[in-house]
Amino acid sequence: MSAETEVPAATPAATGNFLWSLVEGDLVSGKHKSPVTRFPPEPNGYLHIGHAKAIYINFGIAQDFKGRCHLRFDDTNPVKEEQEFIDSIQRDVRWLGFDWGTHLYYASDYFEKLYGWAEHLISNGHAYIDDQTAEEISANRGTLTAPGKESPFRSRSVDENLDLFRRMRKGEFPNGTCVLRARIDMASGNINLRDPVLYRILHAHHPRTGDAWCIYPNYDFAHGQSDSIEHVTHSLCSLEFEDHKPLYNWLLDHLPVPSRPEQTEFARLNITYTILSKRHLTQFVRDKHVRGWDDPRMPTLAGLRRRGVPAPALIDFIKRAGVARANSVVDIAMFDACVREYLNKAASRYMGVLKPLKVVIENYPEVQSEELDAVNNPEDPSAGSRKVPFGRELYIEQDDFMENPPKKFFRLSPGTEVRLRYAYFITCREAVKNAAGEVVELRCTYDPATKGGNAPDGRKVKATMHWVSAAHAVNAEVRIYNPLFTRPDPGADGDPVQDLNPASLELVEAKLEPALATANVGETLQFERLGYFCRDADPGLVFNRTVGLRDTYAKTQ
Ligand code: ATP
Ligand code: MG
């Protein structure tokens, strides 16, 4: 069998981007038998939709080419990392539909190995202990145009360096006394190669290794070596690591590592009206600008899930946004469109009224009520139908009535006839007002011959409206989410907190058809003519609006 025939084909949806082609090429050429990738989050916050792109790439490649993808926690900074984040990350990756099997790893599992490799560098004269302060190190690093200045401690002997490094590990020095640096080139055009810091002293409790360590490797010293230990073939990361690649390779070149991974970069996902930076998201949570990491206004996976966004819609969005090397910003309207498209097929329809206006059907008997047949999903006949109660008193949307309608308004107004979905034609006879002159009730009549929503005489109406029976309706709190920011490029003028939208959350007391009282938490449903909504786990009956039926960004831009 030739090498070509052994290569599993990528799924059609995934092919056509440079990363899939790269992996495919490496399999075809025989460089690798099967790809090993990894998703390496730092457990210092919840995952966001940008991470979903990295997850899709790494797990997607493993899936499509029958390789494997590791979940590796990059837990080298004990000060910011928490078990809550480790748990949420695992939950979110699973929710997206991916599975690491037995391949769950922690950079902290390699601390002993990494320490040994640090001694190896020292022994070969490739690393030294620097007693300069952090400020001095940074001042002596030079600039993009000027070379750096060599540390006065750079020529310490191997023995002295080994002795100091061992004493660092033993805890003899307080935080900040000294660091381990690679001895590379203070004049390098790449600042990452100007004797980068590899280890620092940090007397801090680590969620996994406890108090075993008081020195911790930094990202660069942990990442490539962890990839190598795990026999990762393709180390795929976002573009900000491009300048770190020479250091990644330098370390692999100078250490007795078991395998040679190769780093390739792709562009981060950026979306209008959205901040994808853990630092800022942490700030929004800490300063209570939102109600937590899983607030449905947050771009976190936990927030999107709570809002009712189905994982397949999110993956579809990531695929359509594309995988490339060039940075770009994707329109949030495209995300909403993907969610709508998925839910249009999947979501069951119900009726709910967000801004209720009472309607009394004067010729409908007071004691009577009936159950009418309603279609659950016109896009999916197998979803069947349900019964909706109808009675003399109903609620319709306030917006569906106008006392003095302009020409193009075809919904209810005095004297007009409209269809109540699944029910009857009704005609408005009178608008009852309160002392302030506001319409508080409509007196209407219905035509009993139009049951089901069609007139036997063939007469037409121009509008079909949703409604709920007042006697049967259940009350619910509906949380309407608007964009979290007032501008498409939040933070462009500094702190994104200044761009937060004060109207990002609207609370509405809604009247819903009774079947919604038993809706499942987390199941996204359509409220006809209004949008998609998802029951929240909060006590009582609470729904989050996932997305409206139409694009609302177009007019805010
Ligand atoms: P943030 O910038 O939000 O703090 P991060 O890069 O510090 O994120 P990590 O936990 O280090 O967060 O990220 C894990 C992986 O996710 C990294 O490989 C990173 O490249 C990738 N990633 C993070 N943000 C994005 C994004 N917006 N688009 C694509 N990949 C991303
Ligand atoms: Mg990072």
Side-chain angles (χ1 to χ4, degrees), residues 6-7 63 139 147 160 173 183 191 218 265 283 306 464 470-471 478 483 500 503 554:
E6 289 168 17
V7 177
Q63 230 167 43
E160 189 186 358
F173 310 120
R183 183 190 275 116
I191 293 187
N218 69 356
E265 307 84 20
Q283 182 192 2
R306 187 170 172 191
T464 300
V478 174
L500 283 166

Side-chain angles (χ1 to χ4, degrees), residues 38-55 57-58 72 74 89 219 223 236-241 266-271 275-282:
R38 84 289 166 269
F39 172 63
E42 184 182 353
N44 61 351
Y46 277 58
L47 296 181
H48 53 60
I49 187 167
H51 293 114
K53 176 174 181 177
I55 292 168
I57 288 173
N58 284 293
R72 183 202 312 144
D74 179 19
I89 289 169
Y219 171 85
H223 199 81
L236 310 172
C237 57
S238 38
L239 273 176
E240 71 268 26
F241 296 104
F266 57 86
R268 289 171 82 93
L269 179 65
N270 302 298
I271 309 175
I275 287 275
L276 297 180
S277 143
K278 267 190 276 185
R279 186 166 65 85
H280 287 120
L281 298 181
T282 303

Side-chain angles (χ1 to χ4, degrees), residues 32 35 38 131 138 194 196 199 206 281 301 323 414 454 488 550 554:
H32 298 294
R38 84 289 166 269
D131 295 356
S138 133
R194 293 183 188 168
Y199 265 89
H206 187 284
L281 298 181
L301 301 185
V323 176
N454 289 305
R550 272 171 292 278

Side-chain angles (χ1 to χ4, degrees), residues 13-67:
T15 49
N17 76 62
F18 79 107
L19 288 179
W20 263 251
S21 305
L22 169 81
V23 171
E24 193 167 33
D26 286 347
L27 298 179
V28 169
S29 73
K31 186 169 171 188
H32 298 294
K33 274 216 171 70
S34 70
V36 181
T37 55
R38 84 289 166 269
F39 172 63
E42 184 182 353
N44 61 351
Y46 277 58
L47 296 181
H48 53 60
I49 187 167
H51 293 114
K53 176 174 181 177
I55 292 168
Y56 161 69
I57 288 173
N58 284 293
F59 281 94
I61 284 178
Q63 230 167 43
D64 289 344
F65 294 105
K66 310 238 180 323

Side-chain angles (χ1 to χ4, degrees), residues 209-400:
T209 58
D211 297 311
W213 294 89
C214 62
I215 58 172
Y216 290 95
N218 69 356
Y219 171 85
D220 284 311
F221 195 68
H223 199 81
Q225 286 88 299
S226 300
D227 284 345
S228 171
I229 291 169
E230 295 173 16
H231 291 266
V232 165
T233 56
H234 298 83
S235 183
L236 310 172
C237 57
S238 38
L239 273 176
E240 71 268 26
F241 296 104
E242 189 175 17
D243 290 345
H244 294 243
K245 187 172 173 173
L247 176 55
Y248 182 101
N249 287 335
W250 185 92
L251 288 164
L252 295 178
D253 285 342
H254 290 81
L255 292 171
V257 290
S259 80
R260 184 73 193 206
E262 185 165 341
Q263 175 179 314
T264 307
E265 307 84 20
F266 57 86
R268 289 171 82 93
L269 179 65
N270 302 298
I271 309 175
T272 57
Y273 290 98
T274 309
I275 287 275
L276 297 180
S277 143
K278 267 190 276 185
R279 186 166 65 85
H280 287 120
L281 298 181
T282 303
Q283 182 192 2
F284 300 157
V285 173
R286 193 195 51 217
D287 299 343
K288 302 209 166 19
H289 295 299
V290 293
R291 294 175 166 189
W293 282 102
D294 67 346
D295 186 308
R297 288 168 291 180
M298 290 279 273
T300 53
L301 301 185
L304 296 173
R305 177 170 61 233
R306 187 170 172 191
R307 210 173 93 192
V309 171
L314 185 50
I315 297 286
D316 178 43
F317 165 70
I318 305 261
K319 285 185 187 174
R320 290 201 213 180
V323 176
R325 263 190 72 87
N327 276 313
S328 64
V329 182
V330 182
D331 194 335
I332 184 88
M334 185 175 134
F335 173 74
D336 287 352
C338 290
V339 175
R340 266 185 220 113
E341 189 179 310
Y342 181 89
L343 288 172
N344 180 44
K345 295 206 185 72
S348 294
R349 272 61 167 171
Y350 291 91
M351 291 197 287
V353 173
L354 297 189
K355 281 190 276 166
L357 174 61
K358 173 79 88 51
V359 168
V360 178
I361 313 283
E362 291 181 321
N363 60 338
Y364 195 89
E366 237 160 279
V367 288
Q368 191 174 317
S369 76
E370 62 190 304
E371 304 244 285
L372 302 171
D373 287 315
V375 174
N376 284 337
N377 186 349
E379 301 282 322
D380 176 11
S382 72
S385 65
R386 69 185 187 287
K387 297 285 185 192
V388 185
F390 184 88
R392 179 180 157 91
E393 298 200 349
L394 312 169
Y395 291 111
I396 63 164
E397 292 296 340
Q398 286 169 20
D399 294 349
D400 280 339

Side-chain angles (χ1 to χ4, degrees), residues 380-523:
D380 176 11
S382 72
S385 65
R386 69 185 187 287
K387 297 285 185 192
V388 185
F390 184 88
R392 179 180 157 91
E393 298 200 349
L394 312 169
Y395 291 111
I396 63 164
E397 292 296 340
Q398 286 169 20
D399 294 349
D400 280 339
F401 173 80
M402 279 187 95
E403 195 178 11
N404 301 301
K407 251 193 161 164
K408 291 255 162 89
F409 187 87
F410 299 120
R411 289 163 282 161
L412 210 52
S413 58
T416 59
E417 185 174 46
V418 299
R419 176 189 292 111
L420 293 181
R421 187 116 162 102
Y422 309 122
Y424 296 98
F425 286 9
I426 61 165
T427 304
C428 178
R429 304 294 171 187
E430 186 196 347
V432 181
K433 294 182 187 169
N434 64 12
E438 298 155 345
V439 175
V440 289
E441 185 180 298
L442 302 178
R443 310 294 293 189
C444 299
T445 54
Y446 85 121
D447 177 355
T450 56
K451 183 166 178 173
N454 289 305
D457 63 6
R459 78 180 186 277
K460 302 278 182 223
V461 286
K462 285 196 168 139
T464 300
M465 293 164 23
H466 64 277
W467 53 274
V468 293
S469 160
H472 304 90
V474 289
N475 294 323
E477 175 181 318
V478 174
R479 299 176 183 162
I480 307 282
Y481 301 105
N482 297 310
L484 187 53
F485 300 99
T486 51
R487 56 189 287 174
D489 52 352
D493 288 344
D495 189 348
V497 166
Q498 299 162 354
D499 301 326
L500 283 166
N501 176 7
S504 59
L505 170 62
E506 279 174 61
L507 298 180
V508 171
E509 278 302 323
K511 301 279 184 187
L512 308 179
E513 69 166 272
L516 287 168
T518 52
N520 296 322
V521 170
E523 187 189 355

